[in-house]
Amino acid sequence: MNLPYQNSNLMSTDSVLTLTDLQFGYSLGPNLIDIPHFEIKAGESVFLRGPSGSGKSTLLGLIGGVLTPQSGKISICGKELTEISSGQRDKIRADHLGIIFQQFNLLPYIGVIQNCILPCRFSASRRNRALRSSHSVEAEAEALTSGLGLTDEDLKRKVGELSVGQQQRVAVARALIGGPDLIIADEPTSALDHDNRDRFIELLNQSREKFGSSLLFVSHDQTLASHFDRAVSLTELNQRVAA
Ligand SMILES: Nc1ncnc2c1ncn2[C@@H]1O[C@H](COP(=O)(O)OP(=O)(O)OP(=O)(O)O)[C@@H](O)[C@H]1O
Ligand SMILES: [Mg+2]
């Protein structure tokens, strides 16, 4: 892989994500998320565990902008999302967040490189950062995918024709391109066996360290915690939600 590019020049004491008094419940239901305070610092990797149905994907949906909180604040790299327009929110997320979804959300009918460069279409700053280490975003996607173990043959195929493990690598490359400040990953290893799962997380960690990206990785599988700087439980964060 080429030399890494810097992300947003954050210091390790800076916060890439701060949640304050965040509350969310689906319509008619009780509050599922009620978090007084949660913070991730620049460069930090955090494992968030919680049983199935406890609200992990819901929390990532709030951070990723698919869901809107009933109250409270979400700050990404010091920018408060709840006080700005939805267009500005989309831009901040596109610039600063890399997202690995539970089902990857790759586009199956297009190729590996075309999937990987999608974030650079939505964010000029990620495109510009990618262009600091490669002459084109496509070349940067190739460098990332080969660093993650995808072969030239894999790159010639549509993503829908790849194995689950290969698709996971595409999802990681797409999240990493353009050095986002924070990567959020929703149980991307649930379909893997033990050895492949550990290898996948190590690959994700090595790659995101090169870019200086922070990581929030959620899973119900507590045995994964040792791969990360810090582990937290959603139940403990959710202090005011009745067990
Ligand atoms: N769109 C929705 N409308 C109403 N309730 C929902 C919706 N999505 C999720 N829920 C409910 O919210 C709760 C939390 O769901 P969520 O998907 O966040 O859990 P999770 O911790 O990610 O679980 P898993 O480990 O199985 O992925 C569940 O009880 C679920 O049924
Ligand atoms: Mg989930």
Side-chain angles (χ1 to χ4, degrees), residues 78 84 115 179 186 197:
I84 55 180
N115 266 278
D186 194 350
R197 196 191 60 190

Side-chain angles (χ1 to χ4, degrees), residues 108-217:
Y109 301 113
I110 62 173
V112 170
I113 298 302
Q114 293 308 310
N115 266 278
C116 288
I117 65 174
L118 283 173
C120 299
R121 300 223 160 147
F122 295 114
S123 164
S125 74
R126 280 182 74 176
R127 180 183 179 80
N128 291 337
R129 287 201 294 268
L131 291 175
R132 279 185 215 155
S133 61
S134 293
H135 66 275
S136 67
V137 291
E138 287 82 3
E140 179 63 4
E142 277 182 42
L144 278 166
T145 48
S146 96
L148 289 163
L150 288 170
T151 64
D152 290 347
E153 285 306 306
D154 299 332
L155 300 196
K156 290 179 192 147
R157 293 159 69 190
K158 292 187 180 103
V159 160
E161 297 167 4
L162 299 176
S163 75
V164 171
Q166 289 163 337
Q167 290 189 34
Q168 284 177 325
R169 287 167 164 74
V170 180
V172 171
R174 185 179 64 177
L176 285 165
I177 199 163
D181 296 291
L182 175 63
I183 294 172
I184 57 177
D186 194 350
E187 310 222 34
T189 54
S190 49
L192 295 186
D193 60 50
H194 185 276
D195 287 352
N196 274 313
R197 196 191 60 190
D198 285 355
R199 214 171 301 140
F200 174 82
I201 296 175
E202 283 314 309
L203 217 46
L204 171 60
N205 260 329
Q206 283 165 15
S207 307
R208 65 115 202 138
E209 274 171 16
K210 284 186 192 156
F211 293 94
S213 305
S214 306
L215 173 65
L216 175 61
F217 186 107

Side-chain angles (χ1 to χ4, degrees), residues 26 32 50-59 102 186-187 220 234:
Y26 290 102
L32 185 63
S52 180
S54 60
K56 302 180 299 297
S57 295
T58 301
L59 178 60
Q102 203 160 1
D186 194 350
E187 310 222 34
H220 62 271
L234 183 57

